[in-house]
């Protein structure tokens, strides 16, 4: 893995652990030679991960929609690409990265996570999707994902798309060992 798209919040929660987590992840990825592709802002967890990765000598690529350049205070201290739409932003994340690493975040982070999972199911990419479940932040989401599978809305072949761990190194080890799943487009229609 040379680059990971890192999805995380542009907000700064009151609990300082979240910003510290983002800094630790940025520093660790840079130390392992893994570049960061992220949302291109200087605020919140996004800004913390980018700043820490750059400070540790890492490669940081920001991709931000034109409409958010001033709203999210675009980070010009990275290789910044300004695109027209959110769709272009997410397509760039997929094109530029070797996988997806999800840290705590809000609605935008959820949108990015579920698109990465959906695109894997459909066969638009065969890259790993990892959730860093720090502080149990994603416990409810992971339980909901299990519920969708139990009910039958996530096919057995796709139940392993999301990898989740509480420790970054363990998650990265799993992501490096990732084997692409059989996407829907390659499945027998009679078994769908």
């Amino acid at each position: 893995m040379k680059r990971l798209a890192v999805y995380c919040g542009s907000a700064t929660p009151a609990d300082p652990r979240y910003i510290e987590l983002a800094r630790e992840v940025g520093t660790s990825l840079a130390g392992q030679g893994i570049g960061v592709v992220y949302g291109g802002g200087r605020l919140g967890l996004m800004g913390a991960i980018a700043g820490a990765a750059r400070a540790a000598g890492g490669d940081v690529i920001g991709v931000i929609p034109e409409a958010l350049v001033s709203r999210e205070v675009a980070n010009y201290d990275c290789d910044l690409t300004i695109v027209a739409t959110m769709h272009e932003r997410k397509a760039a994340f997929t094109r530029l990265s070797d996988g997806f690493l999800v840290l705590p975040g809000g609605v935008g982070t959820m949108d990015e996570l579920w698109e990465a999972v959906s695109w894997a199911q459909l066969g638009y990419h065969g890259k790993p999707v990892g959730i860093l479940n720090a502080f149990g932040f994603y416990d409810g989401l992971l339980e909901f994902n299990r519920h969708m599978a139990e009910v039958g809305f996530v096919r057995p072949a796709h139940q392993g798309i999301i990898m989740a761990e509480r420790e970054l190194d363990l998650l990265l080890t799993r992501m490096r060992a990732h084997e692409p799943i059989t996407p829907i487009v390659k499945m027998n229609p009679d078994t769908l």
Side-chain angles (χ1 to χ4, degrees):
M1 293 186 304
K2 293 182 181 181
R3 283 192 206 127
L4 288 176
V6 180
Y7 297 149
C8 59
S10 62
T12 302
D15 185 339
R17 296 181 303 169
Y18 291 101
I19 292 294
E20 186 55 35
L21 171 71
R23 289 183 182 129
E24 289 171 5
V25 169
T27 300
S28 181
L29 292 177
Q32 296 181 51
I34 300 172
V36 171
V37 180
Y38 87 113
R42 288 189 295 148
L43 303 178
L45 274 69
M46 288 193 338
I49 196 165
R54 284 289 283 199
D59 178 37
V60 179
I61 298 171
V63 183
I64 191 167
E66 194 173 307
L68 297 179
V69 170
S70 62
R71 300 286 302 157
E72 291 194 28
V73 190
N75 182 4
Y76 293 98
D77 190 29
C78 68
D79 182 3
L80 187 66
T81 299
I82 299 171
V83 295
T85 68
M86 291 295 283
H87 294 293
E88 289 179 36
R89 179 193 217 183
K90 291 186 288 184
F93 288 150
T94 302
R95 184 180 70 255
L96 294 169
S97 71
D98 300 311
F100 308 90
L101 175 61
V102 182
L103 275 62
V107 173
T109 304
M110 294 303 93
D111 174 51
E112 293 162 341
L113 164 64
W114 290 117
E115 183 165 287
V117 173
S118 177
W119 285 17
Q121 285 183 156
L122 294 170
Y124 294 138
H125 73 76
K127 301 172 183 184
V129 178
I131 292 178
L132 183 57
N133 189 23
F135 324 120
F137 183 82
Y138 283 113
D139 286 351
L141 180 136
L142 295 169
E143 179 57 37
F144 178 65
N145 192 55
R146 279 190 290 277
H147 176 67
M148 288 190 297
E150 288 168 3
V151 171
F153 287 113
V154 178
R155 292 167 181 84
H158 302 148
Q159 291 176 12
I161 290 174
I162 295 176
M163 295 177 236
E165 297 292 344
R166 293 181 186 265
E167 296 177 20
L168 180 63
D169 288 339
L170 182 55
L171 180 57
L172 293 176
T173 297
R174 288 186 62 199
M175 290 175 73
R176 285 183 183 104
H178 167 73
E179 294 288 331
I181 53 94
T182 302
I184 290 171
V185 296
K186 292 189 178 179
M187 292 180 151
N188 181 337
D190 296 332
T191 63
L192 292 176

